[in-house]
Amino acid sequence: MAEQKFVGTPRKATTHVNQNEGLIFEKSSPGKKAYRLDELDVPAVDAGALLGKSVRKDYGSLPELSEIEIVRHFTRLSTWNYAIDLGMFPLGSCTMKYNGRVNEAVSRFEGIADAHPYQPESLSQGTLGIMHDLSQYLIEITGMDAITLQPAAGAHGEFTGILMIRAYHESKGNARKKILIPDSAHGTNPATAAVVGYQVQNLKSNAEGMVDLAELEKLVDEDTAALMLTNPSTIGVFESDIHKIADILHAKGALLYMDGANMNALVGKTRPGDFNVDVMHLNLHKTFSTPHGGGGPGSGPVACKAILEPFLPSPVVVKKDNKFALDYNRPQSVGRVRAFYGNFGMFVRALAYTLANGYDGLRLTTEDAVLNANYIRAKLEGIFDLPFKTRSMHEVVFSDKLQSKNGVKTGDMGKRLIDYGFHAYTVSFPLIVPGAMMIEPTESESREELDLLIDALQQIAREAEENPNLVKTAPHTTRIRRLDETTAARKPVLRWKGPEQDGLTRDTPSKEW
Amino acid sequence: MRYLPKSPADREAMLAEIGAASIDDLFATIPAEYQLKRDLNVPRQHSEHEVMELFRKYSEQNATGYASFLGAGAYKHYRPVIIDSLSQRGEFLTSYTPYQPEIAQGTLQALFEFQTMICDLTGMEIANASMYDGSTGAAEAIMMAVRVTGRSGAVIARTVHPEYREVIATYAQHQGIPLSEVEYVRDSGRIDLAALDAALGDDTACVLIQSPNFFGTIEDVAAIAEIAHKKGALLIVSIAEAVSLGIVAPPVEADIVSLEAQSFGVPVGYGGPYCGVIAAKEKFIRQMPGRLCGETKDTEGRRGFVLTLSTREQHIRREKATSNICTNQSLVALMVTIFLTVYGKEGIRELAEQNLAKAHYAATEFGKKAKLLFNAAPRFNEFVIETSQAAEAINAGLLEKKIIGGLPLAKWYPELGENASLWCATELTTKEQMDAAVKAL
């Protein structure tokens, strides 16, 4: 089979057996059980008598199975996933690095996992201590003055940071009207500005894909609240004019917000606070190795300079008389952005990561991440078009310009990479690069794994020349092929509705396998 | 550093391939004045054992071995062991958002099962693939109602979790969404229906209630829905104690349900990560925030799942998106799905019934030593009592007996006085613990 499906030879991937598995609802039979409750030590109650008309009668299609069937169901599903634990995830902007397992172990210690958010502070010195210590280290790493851990993800951190910027301007008597956002930015940036009631003004990048200082100078005025800047930018390049950018903004009273999505390129080598960023968020699920979990949970702490400190969400952790406490007396706070204190379990993991690395490990991590990206760039430049030539940091952005003349697009090559045993790189982002192929290896890849990726992409480039159709119809070795996303969106089926009404689920999956 | 898979020779060889003389060459684009020339002031490298010991210390500085009667939006239920053994599989734990569906069918199918179970439990027709938590989910539900109705205001029951209301106020402040609050009736703890009716105007987009509400009281959702709908407003029901759905009728009269699913197998964990989710009537699908997983077929006709309707989302629509949310709570949604599969149709009912029985016993016993408030309406697993002394003083005494008492309410409900507190009993609260607490009152 493999001979017909490849021009070259995939070195990493081989045939993988995985099992068919229906939906959990299709496997259910009445009367099966996977639970047994404790013996009730208080008198039983008549729910109907206690709840009256509020008592529940119908339970829909909730499944009934035994424990072994449940274990097999989810284990089989798991084998259909690609994961960092299986190999490299070269997704640009996503920082898919190794998730240390000790982080998982310590997050399950009883005093941590079972801590109730409202238990007395005297019995929460450990959890408050974790928040305090992580906060101190993140402040040092970013070079900022203060921090909140409350935001639940990167976009939530952006929301918090822009709220603080707004509160700062309001305290000066004018909230201002607009936020400047480069055309290379993540989609969350403009969406965030809108939620905080700001107009979005697009900032065009210059020929190198960087902030155009002349354009910036033209656009910044007394109505500008802030610039939201990703640094290194989404093309993986450090904004060398960062101090001039900050100066232009500050001269007009505007602030500099940094999207810290790419912080993995900077830790231990430079600090945003030192290059005049006013407020930024971190993604603990990127830079600080908390697991991505198939799309979350994340955590998006926001660090800021002293001028913004009064506006941090309430509460903040403080240390008084050698005890940790929560300070709710924050009259200028933007308010609360999430119940309780944020995704606390992610703080535990991020702190464990920081301690395992230490100052020298954090720096070496950054250096390896940048070394890996530049190695890939050196090996693949010429095989793929490199639209911007400035020195890369932790990621490199190629384009499909050379391959698209044969009709092979970035998305096709991303899918084809799956056949070679990898996850796709980030496809078609940033938007300023037509046909973008954005590769971020992170520090977690050995030279051997990098060489396998490079080899795979070289072979794919050859296939794009010799048998473009093979690439355009990839992937060929996965348990399912490309999915009909148009029908999925046109006639959305978002839940299982039972075997009767459901034409789609009638066929057993993957017959051919 | 033990996580880094390179030998010194690898690094040298790679630098040579790149044509760089040293690693610092690769950082030359950072202006010299901003390059950090010193070590970060963070601790040295720690061995795995040292990390374990440090966190054991943090853990020991927290409460362990206490009986706790705290609920109020964070509930301790038993977590079957297989939740962690399955969700900790690297294929789930270390996978990315399923944007490449061909190699993410495991996550996608589990999310589809999650959405289906949430629909069944809440009585809604569609559910998204999760929100951050119940508080932000409630705020997003209000924004969704504003988009659906084209109206601007939201009327909120004062018995919605106080911290949820704070989050809603933060979200609403710059979006031109005026908020107003409706009081509760003192004998039942339920929303004041007459006051609700009076609070609704032509520009009210939605009514938000919580049921069981912050006092543990089950609201009359049908009556509230009728009042809201008569004025053309949508009804949003927030549910903070998801296990209640095992025995309490789902809020089918609502238009949108914002559920905090933490009770379904998610650690209390000092407040997070939890698992919000928004469920709604199908006609509101285009205004739903967050990710949606949908069923489709591949090029060979086999069933498969994809993230769908992404034109609502920020990575396509940018500033015109329905929300700025990107990363959600996927792995926690998986925990919820496994929990619901373990208990299933019968188990979720039995579990909820045990909670009901425990709380009924506790309320009855506490009622002998203190005044039980809000008796005129049914409750699930929480209740409010008024003690003869200040709740804080009572709790200080209980701590000595290794009991964490109920949550004092004066901070958020000063009208109830210093002596009122909110108590919770779940299936894990033993008769012995309840009797001990009552005795110590």
Side-chain angles (χ1 to χ4, degrees):
Chain A
M1 193 160 59
E3 291 78 27
Q4 299 144 18
K5 290 186 174 172
F6 290 89
V7 169
T9 314
R11 287 165 57 196
K12 180 160 182 267
T14 181
T15 315
H16 169 63
V17 173
N18 56 33
Q19 302 188 20
N20 292 324
E21 182 69 6
L23 286 161
I24 195 79
F25 314 104
E26 296 163 343
K27 303 172 68 74
S28 167
S29 332
K32 284 190 186 179
K33 280 182 182 173
Y35 71 94
R36 180 187 168 83
L37 292 170
D38 294 2
E39 195 163 276
L40 190 61
D41 59 0
V42 298
V45 291
D46 176 354
L50 285 179
L51 301 179
K53 64 171 186 170
S54 298
V55 78
R56 178 164 202 145
K57 299 198 177 67
D58 178 30
Y59 290 83
S61 54
L62 280 188
E64 294 170 88
L65 294 97
S66 64
E67 185 167 317
I68 175 64
E69 292 168 294
I70 297 169
V71 168
R72 284 193 180 145
H73 176 73
F74 289 101
T75 303
R76 286 172 186 162
L77 292 195
S78 78
T79 65
W80 302 350
N81 271 3
Y82 188 79
I84 301 172
D85 284 3
L86 285 167
M88 185 180 182
F89 241 97
L91 276 171
S93 217
C94 302
T95 314
M96 293 295 282
K97 62 166 69 183
Y98 172 62
N99 308 138
R101 283 312 198 278
V102 69
N103 306 356
E104 298 301 311
V106 298
S107 72
R108 284 169 172 77
F109 287 165
E110 185 192 346
I112 292 170
D114 288 349
H116 192 285
Y118 293 147
Q119 70 193 29
E121 283 175 4
S122 60
L123 296 177
S124 304
Q125 291 299 299
T127 40
L128 290 171
I130 288 168
M131 291 173 70
H132 175 269
D133 293 349
L134 177 65
S135 295
Q136 294 310 303
Y137 303 150
L138 295 180
I139 285 171
E140 163 68 5
I141 287 166
T142 55
M144 308 298 275
D145 299 321
I147 196 165
T148 176
L149 304 177
Q150 204 176 90
H156 205 211
E158 293 175 25
F159 171 65
T160 306
I162 299 301
L163 277 176
M164 289 164 60
I165 286 173
R166 186 165 183 128
Y168 165 84
H169 287 305
E170 277 171 359
S171 77
K172 307 251 169 218
N174 178 7
R176 303 189 170 209
K177 294 200 177 74
K178 63 183 186 188
I179 301 271
L180 292 176
I181 298 177
D183 47 14
S184 57
H186 298 114
T188 48
N189 292 179
T192 296
V195 180
V196 187
Y198 280 117
Q199 295 160 20
V200 173
Q201 189 161 22
N202 191 33
L203 177 64
K204 259 182 75 69
S205 300
N206 66 18
E208 282 81 49
M210 311 300 288
V211 169
D212 186 327
L213 289 180
E215 184 74 9
L216 179 69
E217 194 124 36
K218 240 188 330 190
L219 294 182
V220 179
D221 57 24
E222 315 298 330
D223 281 335
T224 308
L227 166 71
M228 288 181 90
L229 186 69
T230 306
N231 190 23
S233 71
T234 56
I235 57 166
V237 175
F238 192 86
E239 294 276 2
S240 296
D241 286 332
I242 187 72
H243 58 298
K244 290 184 201 149
I245 294 170
D247 287 349
I248 291 169
L249 291 161
H250 291 156
K252 294 282 164 94
L255 299 181
L256 176 56
Y257 182 96
M258 188 177 117
D259 181 327
N262 292 341
M263 193 67 197
N264 209 44
L266 307 182
V267 176
K269 302 297 284 186
T270 183
R271 307 193 308 165
D274 295 343
F275 53 75
N276 291 334
V277 167
D278 297 297
V279 52
M280 65 177 293
H281 77 264
L282 295 163
N283 302 77
L284 298 187
H285 49 294
K286 294 180 182 175
T287 316
F288 293 87
S289 92
T290 75
H292 225 292
S299 180
V302 171
C304 67
K305 289 285 174 62
I307 52 160
L308 291 168
E309 193 268 346
F311 309 106
L312 286 169
S314 169
V316 296
V317 182
V318 292
K319 194 172 184 178
K320 281 196 293 223
D321 311 327
N322 243 359
K323 291 265 177 222
F324 300 113
L326 291 162
D327 179 12
Y328 288 87
N329 184 19
R330 312 272 311 165
Q332 286 185 282
S333 165
V334 294
R336 180 182 269 294
V337 296
R338 187 193 177 285
F340 311 122
Y341 322 115
N343 279 347
F344 177 81
M346 301 301 110
F347 312 158
V348 176
R349 291 163 175 87
L351 180 57
Y353 168 86
T354 305
L355 292 169
N357 273 286
Y359 55 84
D360 50 343
L362 289 174
R363 182 172 52 222
L364 191 56
T365 292
T366 303
E367 289 173 353
D368 275 3
V370 171
L371 178 67
N372 282 356
N374 280 284
Y375 182 73
I376 290 173
R377 172 172 159 164
K379 294 282 193 167
L380 291 177
E381 190 172 356
I383 295 170
F384 300 99
D385 170 60
L386 185 72
F388 300 116
K389 307 289 191 261
T390 313
R391 171 72 82 189
S392 296
M393 297 225 33
H394 68 304
E395 64 192 4
V396 55
V397 180
F398 294 107
S399 92
D400 64 10
K401 193 173 164 188
L402 302 176
Q403 289 71 35
S404 62
K405 60 182 179 350
N406 295 327
V408 174
K409 306 277 195 211
T410 175
D412 301 323
M413 291 188 282
K415 294 281 187 215
R416 185 60 173 153
L417 209 43
I418 294 170
D419 285 330
Y420 282 85
F422 292 93
H423 193 274
Y425 46 74
T426 294
V427 169
S428 303
F429 183 86
L431 305 176
I432 56 166
V433 177
M437 306 164 64
M438 186 195 219
I439 301 175
E440 179 184 3
T442 83
E443 72 281 6
S444 301
E445 302 310 329
S446 65
R447 188 182 178 194
E448 293 77 14
E449 185 86 2
L450 294 171
D451 284 337
L452 287 172
L453 178 84
I454 290 159
D455 177 69
L457 281 166
Q458 286 168 338
Q459 293 200 48
I460 293 169
R462 190 178 132 209
E463 289 174 345
E465 292 289 330
E466 295 174 16
N467 190 350
N469 204 44
L470 196 55
V471 185
K472 281 156 68 178
T473 52
H476 300 282
T477 60
T478 45
R479 61 174 286 109
I480 54 164
R481 303 288 299 277
R482 286 193 196 195
L483 287 147
D484 182 354
E485 304 203 16
T486 312
T487 304
R490 199 168 288 156
K491 293 182 190 156
V493 178
L494 305 179
R495 58 177 293 203
W496 188 72
K497 290 181 181 164
E500 291 81 20
Q501 304 97 315
D502 194 350
L504 271 172
T505 55
R506 195 67 57 77
D507 296 334
T508 47
S510 316
K511 264 184 284 197
E512 293 81 349
W513 289 76
Chain B
M1 204 286 134
R2 61 186 181 275
Y3 297 157
L4 298 175
K6 263 192 268 314
S7 67
D10 285 336
R11 293 190 178 97
E12 288 305 315
M14 288 169 70
L15 281 173
E17 297 260 15
I18 294 165
S22 76
I23 189 71
D24 283 329
D25 277 11
L26 302 185
F27 290 86
T29 49
I30 301 175
E33 68 263 42
Y34 301 126
Q35 292 188 17
L36 192 66
K37 300 294 187 201
R38 59 168 175 89
D39 292 333
L40 283 169
N41 185 21
V42 301
R44 62 166 174 82
Q45 285 190 36
H46 282 62
S47 74
E48 185 171 302
H49 177 243
E50 286 172 325
V51 171
M52 292 283 270
E53 287 309 306
L54 265 173
F55 279 90
R56 217 181 293 284
K57 260 192 212 131
Y58 285 122
S59 173
E60 283 162 4
Q61 286 160 5
N62 258 32
T64 50
Y66 282 75
S68 169
F69 289 90
L70 290 171
Y75 302 95
K76 187 162 181 212
H77 295 285
Y78 183 69
R79 302 182 63 239
V81 165
I82 64 168
I83 292 176
D84 276 358
S85 35
L86 293 168
S87 67
Q88 285 284 294
R89 284 186 63 90
E91 298 92 329
F92 286 129
L93 186 73
T94 75
S95 61
Y96 189 66
T97 304
Y99 291 136
Q100 294 289 338
E102 297 91 340
I103 46 171
Q105 284 298 302
T107 292
L108 285 161
Q109 183 168 323
L111 288 175
F112 187 78
E113 293 174 352
F114 170 79
Q115 291 175 181
T116 303
M117 291 181 196
I118 296 300
C119 288
D120 277 336
L121 280 166
T122 58
M124 293 290 106
E125 293 161 349
I126 52 169
N128 69 10
S130 73
M131 303 298 287
Y132 305 137
D133 78 327
S135 68
T136 55
E140 292 267 11
I142 287 174
M143 289 154 62
M144 179 177 166
V146 166
R147 292 190 298 271
V148 165
T149 59
R151 297 177 173 195
S152 70
V155 173
I156 301 171
R158 218 170 135 243
T159 47
V160 171
H161 194 301
E163 293 196 3
Y164 288 20
R165 285 183 284 131
E166 289 175 32
V167 171
I168 290 164
T170 306
Y171 270 74
Q173 61 186 326
H174 304 303
Q175 298 191 65
I177 303 177
L179 305 176
S180 61
E181 290 192 341
V182 178
E183 286 295 333
Y184 55 93
V185 181
R186 290 299 285 269
D187 68 342
S188 69
R190 282 179 162 177
I191 191 170
D192 183 331
L193 295 179
L196 171 66
D197 195 44
L200 293 172
D202 292 341
D203 205 31
T204 306
C206 61
V207 172
L208 171 73
I209 62 158
Q210 178 177 318
S211 182
N213 68 24
F214 192 67
F215 301 143
T217 302
I218 297 162
E219 296 280 2
D220 185 349
V221 177
I224 297 164
E226 200 184 318
I227 292 169
H229 291 158
K230 205 174 60 197
K231 296 279 176 75
L234 302 187
L235 174 62
I236 304 170
V237 176
S238 163
I239 301 171
E241 171 43 300
V243 166
S244 67
L245 287 167
I247 198 80
V248 177
V252 289
E253 301 88 353
D255 302 284
I256 304 171
V257 174
S258 168
L259 176 71
E260 168 55 79
Q262 176 269 326
S263 281
F264 294 151
V266 183
V268 175
Y270 210 51
Y274 287 176
C275 182
V277 50
I278 292 183
K281 293 270 155 52
E282 190 155 16
K283 60 185 172 190
F284 304 136
I285 191 168
R286 303 275 158 186
Q287 297 305 334
M288 180 75 103
R291 294 172 182 152
L292 290 167
C293 172
E295 180 180 322
T296 186
K297 289 184 172 194
D298 77 353
T299 50
E300 292 168 30
R302 293 172 292 212
R303 176 170 68 191
F305 302 91
V306 290
L307 292 180
T308 191
L309 295 168
S310 55
T311 50
R312 300 164 299 114
E313 292 184 74
Q314 46 75 27
H315 61 280
I316 310 286
R317 185 73 48 101
R318 296 176 84 82
E319 66 266 30
K320 295 189 181 64
T322 54
S323 165
N324 75 337
I325 192 169
C326 178
T327 292
N328 56 9
Q329 304 287 120
S330 227
L331 193 74
V332 195
L334 175 68
M335 291 181 181
V336 168
T337 309
I338 298 169
F339 177 95
L340 288 171
T341 307
V342 168
Y343 281 99
K345 201 180 278 195
E346 289 298 319
I348 196 72
R349 183 183 58 73
E350 284 179 35
L351 175 66
E353 211 166 270
Q354 274 211 359
N355 276 257
L356 196 64
K358 297 273 190 171
H360 182 70
Y361 176 81
T364 308
E365 294 300 309
F366 278 91
K368 293 174 184 168
K369 283 278 199 77
K371 188 177 166 197
L372 187 62
L373 301 187
F374 310 134
N375 280 313
R379 53 174 73 91
F380 178 57
N381 66 0
E382 287 174 283
F383 55 92
V384 176
I385 57 172
E386 194 180 299
T387 43
S388 52
Q389 296 173 57
E392 302 278 5
I394 299 245
N395 282 351
L398 287 172
L399 282 185
E400 287 167 19
K401 301 193 158 43
K402 290 220 108 178
I403 296 169
I404 299 174
L407 180 72
L409 289 175
K411 177 180 173 187
W412 289 309
Y413 301 94
E415 70 279 11
L416 294 176
E418 297 290 329
N419 297 7
S421 52
L422 173 69
W423 295 66
C424 174
T426 73
E427 80 282 6
L428 295 177
T429 316
T430 63
K431 178 172 180 293
E432 198 183 337
Q433 291 169 342
M434 295 187 272
D435 291 345
V438 170
K439 197 173 156 209
L441 269 192

